Amino acid sequence: MKQSRYFENRMRDVPDSKDGLDSSVIKDQISALLTDIQASCPAQECPRDDLYVGSAGIAYAFYHLARLLPSDTDDGGVLNHLNVAEEYIKKSLHVILHDEPSKGGIEASLLSGHAGIYAVAALVYDALHNQQQNQAKNQSTNKQTNQQTSQHYLDTFIGVHKYCLPLNFYKRGSDEMFRGRAGYLSACLLLNSRLGRTAVPDEVILPVCRAIVESGRRYSKKNQHKCPLMYMMYEKEYLGAGHGLVAILLMLLSFPKCLQDDGVDRDLRASVDWVLTCEGSPGHYPTRWGKERRKSSDELVQWCHGSPGVVYLLAKAYLVWRDDKYLRAALRCGEFVWEKGLLRKGPSLCHGIAGNGYVFLLLYRITNDLLHVHRARQFSRFMQTDEFKTNARVPDRAHSLFEGTAGTVCYLVDLIDPDNPESGLFPFMGVF
């Protein structure tokens, strides 16, 4: 008999006064993971150099940690984490300097190419600049200051947008999260949020949004699709956040000026409503349109495919249009993830327990219902059990951001203070 994709969830689902997690316990877990990452996957030996499973992703994890350390941690600890982040991002930057110009869209790729690396570099050097200013001294030994270095990589990131504008710049699908325009827009959103200014201007962002809209309309019209904005990736109509429709729609919803274009708000809302019609069993969304329904033990319940990614679109739709049907659908996703989200694949963000745990932190931000914090903490606890450690699969890139423990670090950091408006956000999936 084939083993199911998830562990049976036998955990208590009623929060009580003893439900709080000791932050010192989480810090110890984080410290152990960071020590293992640096020992087992040092910057110069990291096997790949992208945001998804390479050194740039580990750099992001250390950057995230430095931003959200509790207030009782001294500034020297913050600077140390940023210095480590710099080591890892330098590795990625060194590698892509020697990349040949690509016709496959690698320059514009968020998770598997250059754009994500430039975005993280801009964030890391901006944080280094701010931290050193706070200490009232300049510790940079480079010819350029960290502020100038951050601006350089921001400008380089902005320059990449030109690769996104041809409708079919990537022959396997030009609009999704990994390699396409949605990923580029998610980095724009993060940069504008974290740098405290309009780092990426509208004249860069809006043409990319319009290319996505035009691409989706053309595909839908050509194929007489019921969804007004539809897309193909690898010759399949994926729905999930990694390669499919929901992340594309989420990014369009995230830029209000895009909604002001002729008919965009109408087509976006009709497309989100079409996504709702894809819900099978309550809270479950299939991998792609037209896909035969899987057996209940074989459903994909992970960020890249399934309801743990769909929930971000539903949450954003609720915040934009304030229609309770989107909130109800998001909560059904939460129930489904609670039941089947303890994945055997490991602790990761893309297809693991940490990524699924972020669903509950998102729902808490929207509802203020402490049940969701309880569930997020329970997912964290399960990763410490012998059952998980003995029977979960070890990912191929065991220390990376999206497939390994660097992503787990981000999740644990966000668990420390779920009320912090800067925490509880799945990397590069902006909702608020």
Side-chain angles (χ1 to χ4, degrees), residues 97 118 122 144 146-158:
L97 282 175
Y118 293 138
Q144 290 181 311
N146 287 322
Q147 186 177 37
Q148 290 170 326
T149 304
S150 175
Q151 186 64 48
H152 167 74
Y153 288 118
L154 174 61
D155 292 341
T156 307
F157 170 85
I158 290 172

Side-chain angles (χ1 to χ4, degrees), residues 345-364:
K345 288 185 176 182
S348 72
L349 294 181
C350 186
H351 34 259
I353 293 178
N356 286 354
Y358 265 115
V359 171
F360 306 119
L361 293 179
L362 171 69
L363 293 176
Y364 174 65

Side-chain angles (χ1 to χ4, degrees), residues 235-415:
E235 299 183 350
K236 297 178 177 65
E237 294 176 355
Y238 284 115
L239 296 179
H243 294 296
L245 179 64
V246 300
I248 298 170
L249 299 181
L250 169 62
M251 287 305 122
L252 292 176
L253 274 175
S254 298
F255 296 97
K257 287 188 178 180
C258 173
L259 304 185
Q260 297 172 13
D261 285 356
D262 183 38
V264 171
D265 185 86
R266 175 201 64 215
D267 286 352
L268 259 177
R269 188 157 189 171
S271 298
V272 176
D273 287 347
W274 180 85
V275 170
L276 290 177
T277 70
C278 298
E279 184 180 8
S281 55
H284 171 57
Y285 289 82
T287 304
R288 60 182 187 266
W289 170 241
K291 177 70 175 176
E292 290 185 11
R293 185 175 174 184
R294 293 174 179 266
K295 295 180 180 179
S296 60
S297 63
D298 203 34
E299 295 160 325
L300 290 181
V301 189
Q302 55 198 47
W303 170 78
C304 51
H305 297 293
S307 53
V310 176
V311 71
Y312 294 92
L313 172 63
L314 299 176
K316 187 66 178 181
Y318 171 69
L319 294 173
V320 171
W321 293 311
R322 289 296 174 180
D323 189 326
D324 284 346
K325 70 181 180 183
Y326 302 120
L327 177 59
R328 292 194 297 270
L331 291 171
R332 290 195 298 272
C333 287
E335 293 300 322
F336 191 74
V337 173
W338 172 250
E339 179 185 357
K340 298 183 177 182
L342 294 175
L343 301 184
R344 294 180 180 272
K345 288 185 176 182
S348 72
L349 294 181
C350 186
H351 34 259
I353 293 178
N356 286 354
Y358 265 115
V359 171
F360 306 119
L361 293 179
L362 171 69
L363 293 176
Y364 174 65
R365 290 284 298 275
I366 294 175
T367 66
N368 284 322
D369 187 343
L370 288 172
L371 173 66
H372 302 300
V373 176
H374 162 79
R375 289 179 169 182
R377 289 169 173 167
Q378 291 287 64
F379 269 40
S380 170
R381 290 186 178 108
F382 185 79
M383 287 189 283
Q384 302 302 314
T385 63
D386 291 338
E387 181 180 10
F388 175 77
K389 292 178 180 179
T390 302
N391 298 299
R393 183 172 70 84
V394 177
D396 293 336
R397 306 299 186 191
H399 304 94
S400 63
L401 180 63
F402 275 82
E403 284 193 357
T405 52
T408 311
V409 167
C410 292
Y411 179 61
L412 292 175
V413 170
D414 285 339
L415 266 181

